[in-house]
Structures are given as structure tokens and as C-alpha cells.
Amino acid sequence: MGAIMVQGTTSSAGKSILCTALCRIFKQDGMKVYPFKSQNMSSKYHKTKDGKMIAIAQALQAWAAGLEPHENMNPILLVPNSDLSSRLIINGDDSGETTSADYFRNKAVLREMITERYKEIESLNELVIIEGAGSPAEINLNKDDIVNMGMAKIADAPVILVTDIDRGGSFAAVYGTVMLLEQEDRRRIKGIVFNKFRGDISLLEPGIDMLEKLIDIPVVGIIPYIDLNIEDEDTLTDKTKKCEDGSQTRDELEEELERLAEVVRANIDMDIIYKLAGV
């Protein structure tokens, strides 16, 4: 069984959308693929057919993989109430309000639950696409981490690091992220993906060459900016889409998922992705 993890230099870098694309690409290629995000923080959630709550991103990844959304795909969901507290959803069920401090104190117990859930998923699928959260370089949060490099260790998964070049500063974001990591974690990053690129790629190439020499990690994809009608979960997005008002049909969503997969497949080295995934 294989696994590959997508982490980002920032929130809204493109982790969710790249995981969604990979779920659809591997499904197109005939594989039994399963999305997984150990911990998500999102005000947007989806209720499964059994009434369980998971983040909307993992529901979209499930549909991309040809699956029904399930609580195992997102065992921990934090729905923010304020800057200091959230509703804590464990395995799809509302466990009440928690403060940031209380949540972090309970991470050791949560790690055991996540490990158990992941091992179960891994045994039943050919490939697990794992999504990180925020950035692995949030060094104040790395102790007892369960969603970025901590999750990569649990799954023993290689990591693809994605950055949003449309917002600027992506070379610095990639370099800074890699350099802030411990050596063991740094070695897990096997490829860099630039997301939302616009313009003449020949002007980008000299920077890519310099970056690869600095960090000794290859750039495996440059994904062009694509205007998708797929729901975002991050608060950094500011565009209202048709899919967010409930009027998008499943057929329309399927068309968007197919279009996303086509663009990503054409602009990422899938041979490397397959090799990293171990399948």
C-alpha cells in the first residue's frame, strides 16, 4: 500500500485542490485511492449520509476519488467559534467546545486515535492521499504535531510541498519552509509544486534552477492559474462561486473535477508522483 502527502508553505497554498486533483487522477488510472486529513480547521463542513461532520475539502476529495464522504477521512475537525475556542468534532461527532490550550494538551491521546484510524485506512486501500494543514514550518506548533510532519511520520509518507506563486514571495516561502525544518523532516520533502502560475514560464525557469540548487529538492510541477467552480474552505479566498450557493449539480461538479485533473496531470510530473507514492 502506498501514501503521498501534500503540505503547503502557507494556508491557501493549494493543498486541498492538489489533493483533490490527485484523487481524481489516480481514480482515472484505475486505483483504489482514499483521501485523509488528520486534523482540519474549517468553518465549512459537510454532513455525511450518516450525519457525521467532516471538512468540505475532504468531502470534495472523496467525490474526486469516486467515494462517499466518511468520517474516517477527517477524524478531527475544529470549527472556529472565536480566536481562542472551537467546536471539536471527533470522528464526525460534536464533542463540544474546546480552547486552543486544552486541545494542545490532549494531542498525545489524539495521536493514538489518528494512528489507529490511518492504519485501518491504509490496509484497505491501494493509495492514501494525505493533506497537511497550514505550514510545517509553524515551529511554535511542531511539538506533538499530528497534521504535518508528525502525520508524515505516522504514515511514513513522502511529502510534496506546494506554494501559491500568485500571491508573491513563493521562492522565499519554499526556501524558508525547508530551512526551518529539522533535517529528518526536510528529507521527507521530495518535490516542490508551484500553484496558480500566470505568465511566461521562461521567466520563471531561472528562479526554479536557483531554488533547486539551494534546497536540493526538485520542482515537480508548475500548475497554471485555473478558475474553478469548486468550493474553497480557506478564509484567504475572497471570490463567491456558484458552488457555494447550493445551485451546483453533481454533474457540474464532476465536470470541474475532470477539468482540474486534466490541468494538473498536464503540468505535474506524474511519473515522479507515482514513484513517490510507491505504486
Side-chain angles (χ1 to χ4, degrees), residues 22-213:
L22 291 176
C23 283
R24 176 50 57 102
I25 289 169
F26 283 113
K27 175 185 178 292
Q28 290 172 339
D29 292 351
M31 295 196 61
K32 188 177 181 182
V33 59
Y34 199 94
F36 184 80
K37 185 166 184 173
S38 56
Q39 170 205 296
N40 204 336
M41 176 174 278
S42 176
S43 58
K44 298 179 182 178
Y45 56 84
H46 170 81
K47 282 200 172 182
T48 70
K49 288 183 176 180
D50 294 330
K52 305 289 188 175
M53 296 167 63
I54 65 170
I56 187 65
Q58 277 61 66
L60 286 164
Q61 289 160 14
W63 291 319
L67 303 171
E68 275 299 315
H70 191 278
E71 63 270 19
N72 281 354
M73 298 170 180
N74 177 209
I76 301 174
L77 173 62
L78 295 162
V79 182
N81 290 330
S82 69
D83 288 345
L84 296 176
S85 69
S86 300
R87 287 170 63 198
L88 177 61
I89 314 301
I90 301 288
N91 293 320
D93 295 323
D94 194 336
S95 298
E97 187 171 300
T98 184
T99 65
S100 303
D102 284 344
Y103 178 75
F104 277 90
R105 276 193 290 269
N106 287 319
K107 272 195 170 182
V109 174
L110 294 173
R111 175 186 288 274
E112 293 179 12
M113 181 273 288
I114 287 167
T115 302
E116 180 180 329
R117 194 71 63 244
Y118 176 78
K119 295 303 181 185
E120 175 187 347
I121 289 165
E122 182 185 44
S123 69
L124 296 173
N125 294 277
E126 291 179 88
L127 178 62
V128 185
I129 304 294
I130 309 169
E131 182 183 341
S135 165
E138 292 166 349
I139 54 179
N140 56 312
L141 303 178
N142 281 351
K143 186 178 182 296
D144 299 322
D145 172 65
I146 55 174
V147 68
N148 285 310
M149 286 302 177
M151 184 62 229
K153 290 174 186 175
I154 291 170
D156 193 21
V159 173
I160 298 296
L161 183 67
V162 60
T163 186
D164 180 357
I165 196 170
D166 191 49
R167 293 182 180 274
S170 57
F171 287 109
V174 170
Y175 181 82
T177 299
V178 171
M179 290 300 113
L180 279 172
L181 296 174
E182 299 290 339
Q183 284 287 350
E184 179 188 357
D185 294 333
R186 193 181 301 175
R187 285 193 291 268
R188 286 195 179 274
I189 302 179
K190 302 300 184 181
I192 308 296
V193 170
F194 283 83
N195 186 37
K196 298 184 184 177
F197 177 72
R198 313 185 201 220
D200 185 344
I201 200 167
S202 68
L203 299 178
L204 183 66
E205 287 169 347
I208 297 294
D209 291 340
M210 287 185 278
L211 180 67
E212 289 179 331
K213 289 174 184 175

